[in-house]
Amino acid sequence: MTLLVTAATGHLGRLVVSALLERGTAPSDIVAGVRTPAKAADLADRGVRVVELDYSRPETLAPALTGVDRVLLISGTDADRVAGHRNVVAAVAEAGVERLVYTSAPRVDEIDYALGADHLATEQAIAASGVSATILRHNWYTENYLDAVARAAETGEIVAAAGDARVASASRRDYAEAAAVALTTDDLAGRTIEVGGDVAWTYDELAAAAGEVLGRPVTYTAVTVDQLAAGLEAAGLDAGTAAFVAGIDHAIARGALSQTDGALARIIGRPTTPLIDGLREGLASR
């Protein structure tokens, strides 16, 4: 069975390739789809076949999919990510791929937020394509907070507009292992699953964990969405980007990341990485 991992040189993609190898998948059965093959020399050195694959360039998709049985579509980061995702979904359907696994976002059909809208549109495109699919709705990556924790080393505070919301984050490695399970087994076929950490923590608990990792007191400072956007603009972000980032906090405050039912731990067969361990490991690897 030949497995294609898209965005394979990204943080998550590299971890998925490693997880597949750790599960016993032969390197020759893994295809790493990347925009710039020269940046994937380390994957090629591990025996993985590297192919050019750019979501925004449809001409790269059919050749990359030749002989592929299952595909992991890791969500893109381009401004028009939905168009790129649709290109991949269409090419997967045309190639007759057996299964598509997609890394989506949490609660996209329940809570309206800008980031979620892109993922919902992609889920709808997958459903319309008729391709057998597994949708893994990723909660937050603990690594998303590394910059905030690094700043807290100087300021002693973590600033957010998330109110008293909870976040069920897990490490990228946890999510990568789940993707490897979805690709290599039939256990998750045809399912849409909300996956996240075992524990949904508050921002006060995030500050406490950051303080323990940093060895200094850290507090959580709650601000409004408008105050956060203004602060981001003052720090140099353009108005649109600042509003987008602040809007994510607004979605968090409305519960977008609060759900956890242990699904991720059940998939990977072990507890998810605790918040403090994820922060410590992430900072150590920077």
Side-chain angles (χ1 to χ4, degrees):
M1 186 164 59
T2 301
L3 311 173
L4 169 64
V5 178
T6 68
T9 51
H11 293 301
L12 181 62
R14 287 185 184 278
L15 289 171
V16 173
V17 171
S18 292
L20 288 170
L21 293 170
E22 289 166 7
R23 287 182 62 83
T25 303
S28 58
D29 290 335
I30 303 172
V31 180
V34 300
R35 274 182 171 170
T36 309
K39 294 182 179 180
D42 60 311
L43 298 178
D45 289 343
R46 300 175 77 178
V48 173
R49 180 160 63 92
V50 175
V51 298
E52 183 180 15
L53 189 156
D54 187 332
Y55 301 170
S56 64
R57 295 172 55 222
E59 67 273 16
T60 68
L61 302 179
L65 290 165
T66 301
V68 168
D69 298 294
R70 298 182 181 183
V71 173
L72 172 66
L73 172 55
I74 294 177
S75 56
T77 57
D78 290 347
D80 190 8
R81 80 177 84 199
V82 177
H85 292 171
R86 286 174 176 153
N87 288 340
V88 176
V89 172
V92 163
E94 179 66 23
V97 168
E98 173 190 324
R99 183 171 307 142
L100 176 65
V101 180
Y102 175 61
T103 64
S104 190
R107 305 183 69 182
V108 295
D109 54 353
E110 300 176 60
I111 297 177
D112 182 22
Y113 59 108
L115 180 63
D118 285 355
H119 290 283
L120 179 60
T122 302
E123 289 188 16
Q124 292 168 339
I126 292 170
S129 74
V131 174
S132 173
T134 299
I135 308 297
L136 297 174
R137 289 180 174 169
H138 288 185
N139 202 292
W140 241 218
Y141 302 138
T142 296
E143 290 88 346
N144 290 352
Y145 293 95
L146 293 179
D147 286 344
V149 172
R151 286 193 297 271
E154 301 296 327
T155 65
E157 67 175 353
I158 290 176
V159 179
D164 59 358
R166 291 184 176 270
V167 177
S169 74
S171 73
R172 281 197 186 96
R173 180 168 54 88
D174 299 334
Y175 294 109
E177 290 181 22
V181 171
L183 283 171
T184 57
T185 74
D186 295 325
D187 299 346
L188 310 179
R191 297 176 58 189
T192 296
I193 311 167
E194 302 277 350
V195 287
D198 294 335
V199 176
W201 45 260
T202 67
Y203 274 69
D204 284 325
E205 291 168 328
L206 171 64
E212 186 170 341
V213 170
L214 296 171
R216 62 154 298 168
V218 176
T219 60
Y220 165 45
T221 300
V223 297
T224 67
V225 172
D226 289 342
Q227 287 171 332
L228 179 60
L232 292 170
E233 286 190 58
L237 293 185
D238 63 84
T241 303
F244 179 82
V245 174
I248 292 174
D249 269 22
H250 184 46
I252 294 172
R254 289 179 287 137
L257 306 181
S258 64
Q259 288 188 345
T260 180
D261 64 359
L264 180 54
R266 289 192 295 274
I267 291 169
I268 63 179
R270 62 168 176 81
T272 60
T273 305
L275 172 63
I276 191 167
D277 293 342
L279 294 176
R280 185 177 285 117
E281 292 166 9
L283 289 173
S285 65
R286 298 186 88 179

